Amino acid sequence: MNDEEIIELFFERSEQAIKELDIKYGKVFLSLSNKILNDELDAEECVNDAYLATWNAIPPTRPNPLLAFVCKIVRNISLKRYEKNTATKRNSRYDVAMEELEDCLASSTTIEKEISERELTDIIESFLESLSKENRVIFMRRYWFSDTYADIAKLVGLTEKNVSVRLTRIRNDLRKYLSEREVLL
Amino acid sequence: MTAKHFSNALGNVNEKYVDEAATYTPKTKKKIWVKWVSIAACFSLIAIGITIGSILHSPDTTDKGNNIASYFVITAQAANGESMDLSVADSCLNSGTAQGNIFGVDMPTFHFDVRPSDIKSNEAIYERFDISISYNETVVEWNKDEHIMVAYLISTQQSDVPWAYSIIGWFTEPTDVVINILDKESRKTVESITVNVTYLADKQEYELKVTDLTTEFPKQ
């Protein structure tokens, strides 16, 4: 079933919409959530919560693309659960990916421009635009989806080492990009 | 800024970026990256240099082997001979031992092994190897004690030895390499490709940038 048909089912308030969404993308959502939480049961709960949120959002929203729309919900719910869980454990793939970014984003001084999340999102989007498609995908798969190097290497057809090198370069570029915009001082 | 701050902002990027990453499929390439194993540890830099000189700079060389250069390849290899990544045409997926006689010059014997399972998934599997390469964009990286080999693959038109390398050279220092593509009949240069082998001092890596790469070889 294509995305438009699934969305139509949501608009008809048919519970089949959730089933079809799960059949088509359920594994993607579960994988995404599990990479953040490192706990299958928690991940399943988050995906179910995301389905409920999707059910509440459609209608009136008519998402395009559907996959990205629900992925965002899954990620947000999973991150909230993650924050709740982090007091007791820090061992997910998300942690590892974030530690890489900490090194990249850490300011050498305590002076740092206050920047709103929206402004930062705009800057990140413009940075993403500056990347080649393949590098953009690599970056997003690593820091949005929390994919491992092996996952990314398999997806884009590169070696793990090549992915690692590329990510290092992208992070360096990101740091430079943010510094030039005085986000990092 | 904390990673969490960044992550939250990243979470709000336009859905087109999420969708692009979620649905990404690599371009179908004419050439597939494969792994060649256990080759060329015995390659001699000096011999290769002589070979290269013979291949590239002797337009009058007689084609004793009736060879036809078919595909252009940029490749790299660790000096210890552990591995090789290269680009080949589908039709030459094979395994065995090959020894080329290219434009009348004997090439060293080498063994290659291409695993169909790797090819089918368009995924080269790397184990303990230190080098890798991307086609037509970036990159060769390897440890500083390794060498980079720039070469192209040719068809020998011989059933027992169908493919062989024509090696442009081995490099351990930053350099510009000009690859001359010869017309198969006249053996005269019909096109040149410049390959920049640069050294990234801070990372102890080399980078191979290919400019103006021609996929079909020779250019008709």
Side-chain angles (χ1 to χ4, degrees):
Chain A
M1 184 174 282
N2 64 38
D3 288 1
E4 287 73 23
E5 289 169 330
I6 295 174
I7 291 168
E8 279 310 315
L9 287 174
F10 274 104
F11 270 80
E12 292 165 12
R13 310 311 288 159
S14 165
E15 290 182 9
Q16 189 64 26
I18 302 287
K19 288 179 185 166
E20 294 295 341
L21 183 66
D22 188 56
I23 290 168
K24 189 165 185 186
Y25 297 124
K27 284 182 181 172
V28 177
F29 303 143
L30 203 59
S31 166
L32 171 59
S33 183
N34 196 31
K35 282 169 194 165
I36 294 170
L37 295 165
N38 199 29
D39 185 311
E40 286 185 14
L41 283 177
D42 277 1
E44 275 181 32
E45 282 183 27
C46 286
V47 171
N48 285 332
D49 288 349
Y51 288 157
L52 179 62
T54 306
W55 176 263
N56 291 332
I58 310 173
T61 309
R62 189 176 281 276
N64 183 22
L66 176 64
L67 173 60
F69 179 81
V70 185
C71 273
K72 262 190 165 181
I73 296 173
V74 172
R75 186 177 189 267
N76 288 338
I77 290 174
S78 301
L79 285 177
K80 280 182 186 169
R81 175 69 65 94
Y82 163 81
E83 285 169 13
K84 197 175 162 186
N85 292 351
T86 39
T88 53
K89 55 179 180 181
R90 283 182 66 84
N91 59 353
S92 72
R93 293 182 185 181
Y94 178 75
D95 287 321
V96 178
M98 287 305 103
E99 278 167 16
E100 288 174 7
L101 277 178
E102 289 283 4
D103 292 339
C104 162
L105 300 173
S107 175
S108 56
T109 71
T110 55
I111 304 166
E112 191 170 292
K113 183 181 174 184
E114 286 298 324
I115 184 168
S116 73
E117 202 166 287
R118 186 62 252 173
E119 283 178 296
L120 183 55
T121 299
D122 289 343
I123 291 171
I124 292 170
E125 285 185 351
S126 107
F127 174 72
L128 290 173
E129 281 300 323
S130 74
L131 299 176
S132 68
K133 182 177 178 181
E134 191 170 64
N135 281 347
R136 192 162 55 237
V137 168
I138 289 171
F139 184 85
M140 288 293 287
R141 293 301 319 189
R142 181 62 178 160
Y143 300 115
W144 204 98
F145 290 87
S146 305
D147 276 1
T148 63
Y149 290 180
D151 294 335
I152 299 168
K154 189 174 178 183
L155 176 73
V156 300
L158 296 173
T159 64
E160 279 187 52
K161 183 167 183 182
N162 204 321
V163 168
S164 164
V165 169
R166 286 217 195 182
L167 279 168
T168 301
R169 290 174 186 160
I170 294 169
R171 284 198 303 273
N172 289 340
D173 290 346
L174 172 65
R175 182 172 178 79
K176 190 179 169 196
Y177 196 87
L178 294 175
S179 295
E180 285 170 357
R181 281 147 191 82
E182 299 185 336
V183 178
L184 296 177
L185 294 178
Chain B
M1 186 197 312
T2 64
K4 185 186 169 191
H5 187 190
F6 185 88
S7 175
N8 289 342
L10 182 65
N12 291 324
V13 296
N14 191 300
E15 283 162 11
K16 71 178 182 183
Y17 301 114
V18 180
D19 191 60
E20 179 182 61
T23 60
Y24 180 79
T25 51
K27 288 177 187 172
T28 305
K29 295 176 180 176
K30 278 185 180 178
K31 299 166 188 290
I32 301 169
W33 297 105
V34 296
K35 184 175 73 179
W36 290 42
V37 182
S38 303
I39 94 168
C42 60
F43 281 0
S44 156
L45 286 175
I46 297 172
I48 289 166
I50 294 169
T51 304
I52 293 158
S54 302
I55 293 170
L56 294 180
H57 304 299
S58 302
D60 296 325
T61 301
T62 304
D63 181 9
K64 294 174 184 174
N66 191 30
N67 305 307
I68 298 173
S70 298
Y71 288 94
F72 177 76
V73 173
I74 295 289
T75 191
Q77 178 172 354
N80 58 16
E82 281 184 338
S83 71
M84 174 172 287
D85 303 329
L86 71 159
S87 175
V88 297
D90 293 24
S91 57
C92 78
L93 300 180
N94 210 327
S95 65
T97 301
Q99 182 175 26
N101 178 287
I102 305 160
F103 301 152
V105 179
D106 287 327
M107 300 298 292
T109 300
F110 60 90
H111 176 78
F112 60 91
D113 179 14
V114 179
R115 292 184 291 180
S117 59
D118 298 351
I119 304 306
K120 191 175 180 183
S121 62
N122 195 22
E123 174 195 357
I125 295 175
Y126 303 91
E127 293 164 1
R128 58 195 173 90
F129 307 127
D130 294 317
I131 62 171
S132 61
I133 188 167
S134 291
Y135 181 72
N136 205 17
E137 184 184 359
T138 333
V139 172
V140 173
E141 72 237 21
W142 70 101
N143 292 336
K144 61 184 178 181
D145 59 347
E146 296 174 337
H147 297 73
I148 176 172
M149 183 183 83
V150 179
Y152 56 84
L153 193 68
I154 69 165
S155 165
T156 64
Q157 299 285 293
Q158 298 167 15
S159 59
D160 56 339
V161 189
W163 299 92
Y165 276 112
S166 177
I167 300 171
I168 307 301
W170 289 81
F171 305 96
T172 55
E173 299 292 335
T175 186
D176 284 347
V177 183
V178 177
I179 301 172
N180 297 306
I181 297 179
L182 306 181
D183 179 86
K184 64 183 179 183
E185 298 299 330
S186 67
R187 300 286 178 260
K188 290 179 181 173
T189 301
V190 293
E191 188 173 350
S192 293
I193 293 170
T194 302
V195 176
N196 309 113
V197 181
T198 57
Y199 178 58
L200 306 177
D202 57 331
K203 295 176 186 170
Q204 296 187 334
E205 294 166 1
Y206 287 84
E207 185 168 52
L208 179 72
K209 288 183 178 174
V210 180
T211 56
D212 188 25
L213 187 62
T214 309
T215 55
E216 294 294 327
F217 181 86
K219 192 175 182 180
Q220 297 298 313

